[in-house]
Amino acid sequence: MKTFASHADLEIKKVSFDKLSDHAYAYTAEGDPNTGIVVGDDAVMVIDTQATPVMAQDVIRRIREVTDKPIKYVLLSHYHAVRVLGASAYQPEHIIASQDTYDLIVERGEQDKASEIGRFPRLFQNVESVPPGMTWPTITFTGKMTLWFGKLEVQILQLGRGHTKGDTVVWLPQDKVLFSGDLVEFDATPYAGDAYFQDWPQTLDNIAALQPEKLVPGRGPALRTPDEVSAGLAGTKAFVSELYASVKAGAGAGRDLKAVYRETYERLAPKYGQWVIFAHCMPFDVTRAYDEATGYPDPRIWTAERDLAMWQALERD
């Protein structure tokens, strides 16, 4: 049986800190979860926090190499523990999230935290530094919210469901830079255990309609040209669409989840198998797609126990 989730992934990744415009930076690490940084006239916003406060200290160190402005805002692009549990390190004045993301924290925050810490041992370095309880937003919005950092316009947008129901992007219209969270990945497998497969492609089209020239994905390198942005959007859309089509066809033919999983894995592996965390994501992705195709419109809650039971059911020969 394959090693559970990312337990075999122990190699430390090389961090890059790239300037994309006068106001936008990308903190990336070879397919590990990314963090975005917006530097305005009078304040800094951090988009997705890293998994623990100790890991967040490296982001803060990089920010301090380019600005001494206060980190006033943390923006949660969505709710997953690996994205939010570092928030306390920044001591922000406000933590911003969509109301849908807030609702997910209420509904499944504790279970998700236990589930993700169990899946990604390496990503939760110094997990004991995470404060007890949840990371709670102090500001929520629905649809659209605009902040002004002096003369810099920062749009916070819900463009549709995809990776989760709460997905939020940050758009700098003056710089044409977009921070997508996990709605877009590049050379990395989209995790879709909490996804809305039927909505996701349209949400990607809604991102494309903004015509971003640069984009910081949830995982993978920063996309620095319109062609790279198009490739990131197209790759994510193709993966999500092909996986759901395969699962829907198998479910429609009456095959059980394990058979559909094997079939879909074999179908997608030649094209996507080299993407980061492919083997980790596929059992979760196919399980959620099977649910969506068979009458579970909303994702079921993953718990540490459900993770292991699902993995053993699908990966046991």
Side-chain angles (χ1 to χ4, degrees):
M1 191 166 78
K2 283 184 194 152
T3 308
F4 173 62
S6 285
H7 279 218
D9 176 4
L10 302 173
E11 190 179 317
I12 300 300
K13 311 290 187 190
K14 178 177 175 287
V15 170
S16 300
F17 189 67
D18 298 314
K19 182 175 182 176
L20 302 181
S21 75
D22 286 344
H23 308 106
Y25 294 81
Y27 180 99
T28 67
E30 298 183 316
D32 275 1
N34 293 339
T35 292
I37 297 96
V38 175
V39 180
D41 297 340
D42 52 6
V44 175
M45 172 186 281
V46 169
I47 301 149
D48 295 331
T49 71
Q50 297 294 305
T52 66
V54 167
M55 295 174 73
Q57 290 297 337
D58 190 54
V59 180
I60 293 169
R61 180 175 68 79
R62 310 276 180 151
I63 292 170
R64 289 293 165 244
E65 289 172 359
V66 298
T67 181
D68 59 1
K69 292 168 186 169
I71 301 170
K72 285 191 180 177
Y73 302 100
V74 161
L75 183 283
L76 309 181
S77 70
H78 62 284
Y79 183 75
H80 277 139
V82 77
R83 297 286 175 185
V84 309
L85 294 183
S88 61
Y90 302 95
Q91 300 182 303
E93 288 182 20
H94 289 291
I95 297 175
I96 303 170
S98 66
Q99 183 62 41
D100 287 323
T101 290
Y102 188 96
D103 293 344
L104 283 172
I105 300 171
V106 172
E107 178 189 54
R108 59 184 67 198
E110 288 288 359
Q111 294 99 318
D112 179 85
K113 184 176 179 180
S115 162
E116 290 206 37
I117 289 170
R119 293 182 205 176
F120 288 110
R122 180 180 57 77
L123 287 185
F124 286 92
Q125 291 166 31
N126 305 96
V127 71
E128 69 284 353
S129 66
V130 176
M134 295 290 94
T135 302
W136 290 106
T138 60
I139 296 173
T140 61
F141 75 99
T142 301
K144 179 178 179 179
M145 173 178 167
T146 301
L147 296 177
W148 291 89
F149 290 19
K151 291 179 180 171
L152 179 69
E153 182 180 1
V154 181
Q155 294 184 10
I156 304 169
L157 306 171
Q158 274 187 287
L159 298 176
R161 303 184 301 188
H163 176 70
T164 73
K165 77 171 183 178
D167 292 331
T168 300
V169 305
V170 175
W171 171 234
L172 306 182
Q174 290 144 309
D175 293 15
K176 302 280 191 195
V177 178
L178 187 128
F179 300 85
S180 71
D182 282 323
L183 279 168
V184 183
E185 312 288 21
F186 192 71
D187 282 347
T189 310
Y191 170 73
D194 298 308
Y196 289 83
F197 277 94
Q198 294 167 92
D199 292 12
W200 201 334
Q202 180 60 52
T203 302
L204 293 170
D205 289 347
N206 296 343
I207 290 174
L210 293 170
Q211 299 184 301
E213 294 177 3
K214 298 177 183 181
L215 186 147
V216 181
R219 290 174 179 265
L223 307 177
R224 296 164 163 272
T225 67
D227 285 348
E228 288 183 3
V229 172
S230 294
L233 291 165
T236 304
K237 187 175 180 179
F239 175 87
V240 169
S241 302
E242 289 167 29
L243 186 145
Y244 189 66
S246 174
V247 172
K248 189 178 178 188
R255 289 194 281 285
D256 68 10
L257 174 58
K258 186 167 183 177
V260 170
Y261 172 64
R262 291 285 164 88
E263 193 175 272
T264 302
Y265 195 105
E266 286 169 16
R267 187 171 288 156
L268 269 61
K271 187 170 173 184
Y272 304 108
Q274 79 285 359
W275 281 5
V276 171
I277 65 170
F278 180 80
H280 172 139
C281 289
M282 283 297 287
F284 296 96
D285 291 6
V286 171
T287 298
R288 169 57 193 147
Y290 194 89
D291 273 1
E292 189 171 335
T294 56
Y296 286 92
D298 295 302
R300 292 189 283 158
I301 296 173
W302 290 101
T303 63
E305 296 74 24
R306 184 180 172 219
D307 288 359
L308 287 167
M310 176 278 295
W311 194 272
Q312 286 168 353
L314 294 188
E315 293 293 0
R316 186 179 287 129
D317 292 328

